[in-house]
Amino acid sequence: MTTLISNIKKLVGVRQDNKLLRGRELADLPIIENAYLIIEDGVIVEYGEMQNLKSDPDNYQDRNSKSEINGSGQFILPCWCDSHTHLVFAASREEEFVDKIKGMSYAAIAAKGGGILNSAKKLNETSEDRLFSLAWQRLSEISKLGTGAVEIKSGYGLTVEGELKMLRVIKKLKEKSNLSIRSTFLGAHTYPLEYKENHRGYCDLIINEMLPVIAGEKLADYIDVFCENGFFSPAETETICRAGMSYGLKPKLHVNQLNSIGGIQAGIKLKALSLDHLETLTDEDIASISRAIDRDGWTGICTLLPTAAFFLGIPFRHARKLIDAGCAIALASDYNPGSSPSGNMNLVIAMSCIQMKMLPEEAINAATLNGAYAMELQSEVGSISVGKKANLLFTKAIPSLDYLPYSFGTNLIDKVIINGEII
Ligand code: NIG
Ligand code: FE
């Protein structure tokens, strides 16, 4: 099946050089004006300026099974690559949302058994089939909002059965969905109540009971730890990650969301694929990051999650210092019931521009190509490149690319194509 998309006003994120965009490179967003693009069997096979569209026998015009889409007036972008979510969960938590409005803090809600423990209780009471169907609906919802690749974490099980159940749901989503999906084991999301005073016991459970089964059934691509005061210390983070790494799981870590306690330094030491959150960074943390990129050859992927900061009402991480330090910023939704009950990447991009001072080009690159790198999916998604999946976001008629984050909250998506199919 061949599809020609013609008369595209602007084809955005066009590149054959696949590279992680660090520092100033993040602002470089290549665009072709008045373009065409050809899809064959779900893959991008050709693109260019309209005036160069050929009609020889080998080309599109004479193929049998073909269709044409007129992209007149539209911008086409690569679909969003959302590299940090927790979208398998059993129930929403709007009652805590109201508690927060009334003045209770995130930490206070967690301390009274709310937060992650509340989600874990509900998840353990919910069947695998039900969890799958809820997560399937969420995937369908985010794909209509332009997301074509997504990372999903466990971490609401906190028991051997619960964590395995979540990861099996993610495995089934991978098998059945058109989206590219990566799976992360986050058994170390918080300490279950029965291990509150026995951290060692829970770490042992993760290392000795969960990880061997996860590795045996190939249930995860990555390992994550919530490294935070009141959760897991940098030393515990290191122990758990090293155990995961012995099974081939690279770390992708929650660090410096609420406090700076050495998570950055632990992550760098572990050569984490990405360090995520980073709302609370000291100058020393930023210096550590910059040194690691220059000297230790660390990839430097820092994943920012502005909708979580927005929802929790904590200060936004200004991205400029990190960009100046040479980081490769990725943007993600953190879709979860406690701190970001939205998987809308369009809103993530708007907030990163408005609140984190990212330029629209930087935000789009961070939410596409760098997001793909943060899931090691850069050879199949993240840009308009020959050989990559035809995962395309069509905008409605808009005056400029800047208009996307500018008119935040407005649905500017006309249609989405994933693997060459309109969804
Ligand atoms: O990324 N910070 C830890 N985990 C999630 C929130 C989890 C929850 O509150 O359910 C996050 O923000
Ligand atoms: Fe998260």
Side-chain angles (χ1 to χ4, degrees), residues 17 115 118 174 182 186 273 286 390 406:
D17 57 326
N118 180 359
K174 277 188 185 184
R182 296 296 246 172
L186 175 57
L273 175 61
I286 293 175
Y406 160 82

Side-chain angles (χ1 to χ4, degrees), residues 273-345:
L273 175 61
S274 68
L275 296 180
D276 302 15
H277 270 296
L278 313 179
E279 285 88 350
T280 311
L281 286 181
T282 62
D283 287 345
E284 179 44 36
D285 290 328
I286 293 175
S288 297
I289 287 172
S290 161
R291 266 198 309 272
I293 296 169
D294 287 344
R295 291 193 211 152
D296 306 341
W298 178 57
T299 59
I301 302 179
C302 291
T303 306
L304 304 180
L305 310 158
T307 47
F310 168 72
F311 189 81
L312 296 178
I314 62 176
F316 288 85
R317 153 76 14 226
H318 279 216
R320 294 254 64 88
K321 271 191 180 174
L322 287 174
I323 294 172
D324 292 345
C327 289
I329 307 279
L331 287 169
S333 72
D334 200 15
Y335 193 2
N336 78 77
S339 67
S340 183
S342 160
N344 188 342
M345 286 294 284

Side-chain angles (χ1 to χ4, degrees), residues 145-352:
L145 292 165
T147 296
V150 64
E151 180 257 18
I152 311 173
K153 299 173 194 297
S154 71
Y156 289 129
L158 309 180
T159 58
V160 178
E161 309 74 55
E163 285 299 309
L164 294 176
K165 181 164 66 176
M166 281 190 85
L167 291 168
R168 288 179 184 133
V169 168
I170 303 172
K171 189 175 186 184
K172 206 157 132 197
L173 293 170
K174 277 188 185 184
E175 288 161 3
K176 305 223 165 188
S177 173
N178 250 348
L179 278 78
S180 303
I181 298 176
R182 296 296 246 172
S183 170
T184 300
F185 170 51
L186 175 57
H189 201 183
T190 190
Y191 286 100
L193 278 184
E194 56 276 35
Y195 287 98
K196 210 168 167 238
E197 306 304 331
N198 178 15
H199 286 194
R200 183 72 200 271
Y202 187 60
C203 292
D204 286 347
L205 191 77
I206 289 176
I207 293 168
N208 301 325
E209 308 293 327
M210 298 184 190
L211 271 172
V213 187
I214 291 165
E217 289 186 36
K218 295 197 182 349
L219 290 175
D221 303 299
Y222 304 111
I223 185 156
D224 191 351
V225 177
F226 187 23
C227 181
E228 192 63 57
N229 269 343
F231 294 83
F232 294 80
S233 69
E236 289 163 344
T237 300
E238 196 175 328
T239 305
I240 293 166
C241 286
R242 292 217 184 272
M245 287 158 79
S246 74
Y247 292 105
L249 309 183
K250 281 186 200 164
K252 268 171 81 66
L253 300 175
H254 280 76
V255 291
N256 293 55
Q257 182 180 13
L258 307 167
N259 298 282
S260 172
I261 58 165
I264 296 283
Q265 290 72 15
I268 288 170
K269 195 163 147 198
L270 293 161
K271 291 230 167 16
L273 175 61
S274 68
L275 296 180
D276 302 15
H277 270 296
L278 313 179
E279 285 88 350
T280 311
L281 286 181
T282 62
D283 287 345
E284 179 44 36
D285 290 328
I286 293 175
S288 297
I289 287 172
S290 161
R291 266 198 309 272
I293 296 169
D294 287 344
R295 291 193 211 152
D296 306 341
W298 178 57
T299 59
I301 302 179
C302 291
T303 306
L304 304 180
L305 310 158
T307 47
F310 168 72
F311 189 81
L312 296 178
I314 62 176
F316 288 85
R317 153 76 14 226
H318 279 216
R320 294 254 64 88
K321 271 191 180 174
L322 287 174
I323 294 172
D324 292 345
C327 289
I329 307 279
L331 287 169
S333 72
D334 200 15
Y335 193 2
N336 78 77
S339 67
S340 183
S342 160
N344 188 342
M345 286 294 284
N346 307 284
L347 203 52
V348 167
I349 285 159
M351 281 187 197
S352 73

Side-chain angles (χ1 to χ4, degrees), residues 67-81:
S67 65
E68 185 162 347
I69 299 173
N70 189 347
S72 173
Q74 299 186 298
F75 287 61
I76 294 182
L77 288 79
C79 282
W80 309 130
C81 297

